[in-house]
Amino acid sequence: MSQRRIAIVGTPCEIMAASKIQHYTESPIDVKLGLFCMENFSYKYFTNLLGEYGLKMDDIEKFQIEKGYVFLLLKTKETVKIPLSVAKRIIRKNCSVCVELTSETSDISIGSIGSDEGWSTLIVRTRKGEQIVDGAIDEKFIEARELGQSQFRLLERLASNKTARNLETIEEREFFARPVLYQREKADGAIDDEISQSDFSDLKANVIDVGSCVLCGACEYACPDGLITIDDTKPAMKGRCPDDCHACFAVCPRTFIPEKLRNDNSKPVGEYMKVLSVRSLKHTRGQDGSVVTTLLDYLLGNDIVTDALIVDKDDYLAWKPYAKITNDIDEVVKAGGTKYSVCPVFKPLKNIEEEVN
């Protein structure tokens, strides 16, 4: 087992995968920083959409989604806006069955919804998260104030709208196809029984083939024999699952969710201890007030974690996301900002396991 203590930054589906990895395996993941997320885009289709506007990914300095538009800040300092009604055709299919906006199984959730410009809305969910936030405030990494009631109501309304909309999509999908497993209300004993009878073929039939795969790479990471590979396309298996291995099915965020991790759809932002509006006192580069970058700086600088698992942009393919593990705050700062596409975020953890073995 690795002695590393890793902080992961991820969207709701990635944080759910991290939570299931913690639940079912011995994991180096120690702190979960969850992002607010409405949906993500297909990198390939996003590239094609930009072409319709005479743009390339390499032309883009920064992305921002707000007020019904995708705003593109170009390197020429011009701004182009694409209506979300147009951009919705490139949303990844799995996003339509996600009923979380605020990464409900994280230690700390962060996003821009509700807070003033330059500030971030921060949801403290666990005692560990509370200690981190309190420490970051005490050491003047961030400053905080209470989130106003009207601001919180806005966050709740948007979260409720996403849940209601996608529950309708789930109902429609289940009418024509297989059940969306991660929304099944099963007792833990029944879930364990299902897992004990399931392998990659069941994962393929119930998640991958029906468009529910989030491309997180949890299955690849958990496979003890290295039989599953995932790059930019769907997970694939080379070989045959051992009869006694069910790891990939267990950790997937779109299979059955244990009772203690299952979100209550009647609670728009899930369980929490407190909600704040915060601002970085250390960093300015990044999105949502650079709060994620600043919290990672605090965690690494105080040896609370040994490494951060983050998503950076590819140097050779503009805005193409890839995951990496680092303890260098300069690399964390460089990676700041939302990518609006996905990649196998758990892939670097596999390298750690191989180093240990």
Side-chain angles (χ1 to χ4, degrees), residues 60-196:
I60 311 300
E61 181 71 29
K62 183 179 179 181
F63 292 96
Q64 184 79 31
I65 295 180
E66 59 184 8
K67 300 177 181 177
Y69 289 91
V70 180
F71 289 90
L72 312 175
L73 176 63
L74 307 184
K75 291 178 180 177
T76 61
K77 304 308 177 186
E78 298 173 272
T79 299
V80 174
K81 63 180 185 180
I82 300 174
L84 268 180
S85 58
V86 174
K88 282 188 179 298
R89 74 173 190 255
I90 64 170
I91 291 173
R92 300 190 74 242
K93 186 177 179 180
N94 77 84
C95 295
S96 66
V97 297
C98 174
V99 296
E100 281 188 69
L101 174 68
T102 60
S103 296
E104 296 174 22
T105 61
S106 59
D107 295 296
I108 303 167
S109 302
I110 306 105
S112 61
I113 299 172
S115 286
D116 296 332
E117 185 175 352
W119 293 70
S120 295
T121 299
L122 183 150
I123 304 175
V124 177
R125 300 193 183 276
T126 65
R127 292 294 177 192
K128 180 183 293 183
E130 182 179 45
Q131 291 172 355
I132 292 167
V133 172
D134 288 348
I137 293 171
D138 289 344
E139 295 191 21
K140 293 184 169 45
F141 278 75
I142 58 174
E143 61 175 319
R145 61 193 187 195
E146 292 296 322
L147 188 72
Q149 289 187 359
S150 62
Q151 295 171 308
F152 183 65
R153 284 196 296 270
L154 171 63
L155 175 60
E156 283 194 310
R157 184 170 71 252
L158 293 177
S160 293
N161 289 345
K162 176 179 178 177
T163 298
R165 181 177 65 250
N166 287 356
L167 282 174
E168 286 184 7
T169 301
I170 288 171
E171 185 175 348
E172 292 172 4
R173 184 180 292 193
E174 290 186 331
F175 183 79
F176 295 103
R178 292 173 180 265
V180 177
L181 297 189
Y182 97 111
Q183 282 297 295
R184 301 297 92 189
E185 293 189 3
K186 281 181 173 284
D188 283 349
I191 291 175
D192 291 342
D193 288 342
E194 291 277 2
I195 290 173
S196 70

Side-chain angles (χ1 to χ4, degrees), residues 190-209:
I191 291 175
D192 291 342
D193 288 342
E194 291 277 2
I195 290 173
S196 70
Q197 301 172 53
S198 302
D199 58 17
F200 184 81
S201 64
D202 299 283
L203 185 68
K204 186 174 185 297
N206 289 284
V207 176
I208 300 168
D209 289 348

Side-chain angles (χ1 to χ4, degrees), residues 291-302:
V291 170
V292 173
T293 297
T294 304
L295 290 176
L296 290 175
D297 190 357
Y298 170 75
L299 290 166
L300 291 167
N302 286 274

Side-chain angles (χ1 to χ4, degrees), residues 68 71 86 203 219 251-252 259 324 348:
F71 289 90
V86 174
L203 185 68
C219 56
V251 301
C252 174
E259 291 176 279
K324 68 179 181 182

